[in-house]
Amino acid sequence: MNLALINNQIKKTEKQLILYITLAVGLFYIGQSDCGIRLNGQVFSFLEDSVICEQAVVSQEMIIQETVQQKTALRETEQQEMVQQEAVQGEAVQEEIVQEETVQEKNPSEMSKDELCQWVVSQIITPDMDDFEKVRAVNQYLCDHMTYDTDYYTTRQAILVGRGRCQGYANAFKDLMNTAGVPTDYIRGYGSPTATSTHAWNRVLIDGTYYYVDVTWNDSNGTDDYLLIGEEEFNRGRTVISYNSKTQ
């Protein structure tokens, strides 16, 4: 329903009501006068025009009733629209609450990899952090939480068991950083010119620049020597085999 059209119709009806009331009052006084009155060039007398007065009063009552009905309908329409808007907003808020409660109520072992990452990120990342601070937070979480173990290599194992080889560190770092909104790659290669087995590390993209991170070596050495390092410095002596091989 077009509320503007309803308002215009009500205003038009109210103007008609004023005109009828004016005519009715004028005719009433005409009826009380012996000589009558000239209205718009026409003389009205009490006997002849009392019927017109009665008709005006009846029309006045009909207009009042119609105006009240229109205003009531307008108020009901506005109330219905408000109720509908509140219902839609309430459903959206309730859906968000249910989703949050579902993740919080789940046992971590029952969560998917994405849910696990969201769960961890919600605990270690705050809205006021910039991308550099997010990188440091995730690196510190994995160094504190994990122990090097060649039997484990997936993101789920890194989070649930707290163990993993270099692939586990790099997989978890990639998934957690992407969940936190920082584009991150998984890199597979050789960590040194003399290495005989492959290694895994990461790079993050911040403000158009790549920075490199090796969480495994940070954890093993107990330092941040391999955190947010420039490409040329970091890759000195390293050989890249592939980017973003399938993660678990």
Side-chain angles (χ1 to χ4, degrees):
M1 182 179 292
N2 193 317
L3 300 182
L5 291 177
I6 294 178
N7 280 322
N8 289 337
Q9 182 61 36
I10 291 176
K11 290 180 180 179
K12 181 178 178 182
T13 304
E14 289 174 343
K15 289 180 180 179
Q16 293 175 345
L17 174 61
I18 294 173
L19 177 61
Y20 276 118
I21 292 174
T22 302
L23 177 60
V25 173
L27 291 177
F28 174 77
Y29 282 107
I30 292 172
Q32 300 302 316
S33 172
D34 292 336
C35 61
I37 190 170
R38 182 178 297 277
L39 182 63
N40 292 332
Q42 183 176 358
V43 176
F44 295 90
S45 64
F46 171 72
L47 293 177
E48 295 176 354
D49 301 310
S50 60
V51 175
I52 297 177
C53 179
E54 292 175 357
Q55 292 176 346
V57 171
V58 172
S59 297
Q60 168 193 345
E61 293 176 350
M62 292 176 62
I63 292 172
I64 292 173
Q65 183 178 6
E66 182 180 357
T67 302
V68 171
Q69 291 174 348
Q70 289 176 338
K71 287 187 174 182
T72 300
L74 176 60
R75 284 195 298 268
E76 292 177 350
T77 301
E78 291 175 340
Q79 291 175 351
Q80 290 175 356
E81 291 181 351
M82 290 178 62
V83 170
Q84 291 175 351
Q85 290 178 349
E86 291 175 353
V88 171
Q89 293 173 352
E91 290 176 359
V93 171
Q94 184 63 29
E95 183 177 352
E96 292 180 1
I97 293 174
V98 169
Q99 290 176 347
E100 292 179 359
E101 290 178 346
T102 299
V103 172
Q104 292 174 357
E105 290 175 359
K106 272 188 177 180
N107 187 300
S109 63
E110 299 174 347
M111 295 181 184
S112 66
K113 184 185 75 172
D114 290 342
E115 290 174 335
L116 279 172
C117 289
Q118 292 173 359
W119 177 62
V120 172
V121 166
S122 69
Q123 298 177 60
I124 65 175
I125 301 297
T126 59
D128 60 331
M129 286 183 175
D130 61 26
D131 288 348
F132 292 102
E133 291 171 324
K134 291 177 182 178
V135 171
R136 295 187 181 94
V138 173
N139 175 80
Q140 190 62 52
Y141 164 77
L142 292 174
C143 288
D144 292 341
H145 182 65
M146 291 186 65
T147 300
Y148 188 85
D149 190 325
T150 57
D151 291 334
Y152 303 92
Y153 60 92
T154 70
T155 296
R156 285 183 57 83
Q157 291 167 342
I159 295 175
L160 292 175
V161 183
R163 292 180 174 273
R165 58 183 184 233
C166 58
Q167 290 91 338
Y169 282 89
N171 281 332
F173 183 83
K174 174 181 180 290
D175 291 331
L176 290 171
M177 289 308 308
N178 283 324
T179 300
V182 181
T184 302
D185 295 322
Y186 173 102
I187 302 175
R188 177 173 171 265
Y190 293 99
S192 70
T194 60
T196 58
S197 60
T198 58
H199 183 51
W201 60 92
N202 304 94
R203 68 178 182 180
V204 297
L205 182 63
I206 301 177
D207 297 332
T209 301
Y210 281 113
Y211 298 90
Y212 289 74
V213 180
D214 191 329
V215 185
T216 306
W217 286 12
N218 285 334
D219 190 23
S220 298
N221 297 333
T223 67
D224 289 338
D225 292 344
Y226 303 94
L227 179 65
L228 294 169
I229 308 301
E231 182 173 11
E232 183 177 355
E233 177 184 355
F234 187 88
N235 286 335
R236 191 177 296 123
R238 295 188 184 225
T239 302
V240 175
I241 298 175
S242 64
Y243 292 92
N244 292 324
S245 56
K246 185 177 181 180
T247 62
Q248 302 290 329

